[in-house]
Amino acid sequence: MTIVNSTFILPTGAELSSGTITYSMPDLRRSAGGSAIVTPDDIDVAVVDGVAAAEDLEPGPYEVRVAAGWFLNTYQIVVPETGPAELMDLIEEFVTYEPQVVGQVQQLVAQAQGLSTAQDEAVADLVAPGTATKTALDATYAPAFADTGITYNPDDSVATVTENGVTTSYTYNPDGTVATDTRDGVTRQYTYTDGNLTGIEAV
C-alpha cells in the first residue's frame, strides 16, 4: 500500500482552503500482493489547509479527479509500489502538453548548435596548416601581401605579423582574446569588459 501526498497553494502563495481529490480505479485488478482482486471504487480525499494525503492506496493505475476551487480536471496516474509519492510527480509522468512548442524549440536549438559546431570544425579542418586548401589560399593571396609574414602558435593563434620589415608579436588571455601586442619595442595592453574590447594602452 502506498501513501500519495499533495499540497496545494494559490497563486498568492496562500494555502488552498478546500478541495477534493478523487482516486478511481478503471477496472478490476490483482492486488500488489497477488492474493486478492481489487475492485473499482472511488476514494475521496479532502484538501484541508492545502494538504491532501491519500493513505494506503493499492499500487497500480488510477484516474484522479482534482477539484480545487474553480479548477476541475482529470488525470491518469500509476501509483508506485513504494511510497510515499507526490501526486504532481505522478501526474507529470503521464501528462503530454500540446503543442509541445518548448520541446520543439529546444530540439531545434540543439540541432542548430550541432550544425554550427560541425561547420566550425569543418572550416577549421579545411584551413589548418599543411592542408591542400591552406596551401591553395596561401598561393593565391600571399603574392598580394608579399611584404607580409604571419607566424602561428601551436594552437593556431597568430604569434607574429611582419609588415614591411616591422614585426608585431601577440600574447593572449586564457579565453583567447589578445592580451598584448609588441611592435618596435612598445608593448600595448588590451582591456575588456564583459568580453568586449574597451581599451588599448601602452604599458
Side-chain angles (χ1 to χ4, degrees), residues 5 131 139:
N5 295 315
T131 62

Side-chain angles (χ1 to χ4, degrees), residues 55-143:
E55 298 190 14
D56 298 333
L57 286 177
E58 185 71 30
Y62 285 84
E63 184 175 86
V64 179
R65 187 178 67 216
V66 178
W70 60 266
F71 180 81
L72 176 63
N73 208 347
T74 302
Y75 304 94
Q76 304 299 319
I77 67 167
V78 174
V79 174
E81 292 185 7
T82 58
E86 291 296 326
L87 177 59
M88 196 65 212
D89 291 340
L90 302 180
I91 290 173
E92 287 178 340
E93 287 180 12
F94 288 88
V95 171
T96 301
Y97 296 98
E98 297 291 350
Q100 295 178 329
V101 175
V102 174
Q104 291 171 357
V105 169
Q106 289 172 339
Q107 287 178 348
L108 291 173
V109 168
Q111 289 173 358
Q113 289 173 338
L115 288 173
S116 177
T117 300
Q119 289 171 343
D120 291 345
E121 291 173 353
V123 170
D125 289 343
L126 280 174
V127 298
T131 62
T133 302
K134 180 74 164 66
T135 302
L137 288 171
D138 288 347
T140 302
Y141 296 104

Side-chain angles (χ1 to χ4, degrees), residues 105-197:
V105 169
Q106 289 172 339
Q107 287 178 348
L108 291 173
V109 168
Q111 289 173 358
Q113 289 173 338
L115 288 173
S116 177
T117 300
Q119 289 171 343
D120 291 345
E121 291 173 353
V123 170
D125 289 343
L126 280 174
V127 298
T131 62
T133 302
K134 180 74 164 66
T135 302
L137 288 171
D138 288 347
T140 302
Y141 296 104
F145 302 94
D147 294 332
T148 301
I150 301 174
T151 64
Y152 298 89
N153 294 311
D155 64 357
D156 291 333
S157 59
V158 174
T160 64
V161 175
T162 302
E163 298 177 284
N164 300 320
V166 180
T167 299
T168 303
S169 60
Y170 298 90
T171 64
Y172 295 88
N173 296 310
D175 64 359
T177 55
V178 175
T180 65
D181 67 28
T182 303
R183 180 185 176 97
D184 283 339
V186 177
T187 298
R188 301 184 306 169
Q189 185 169 8
Y190 292 62
T191 56
Y192 301 85
T193 301
D194 296 327
N196 298 312
L197 181 64

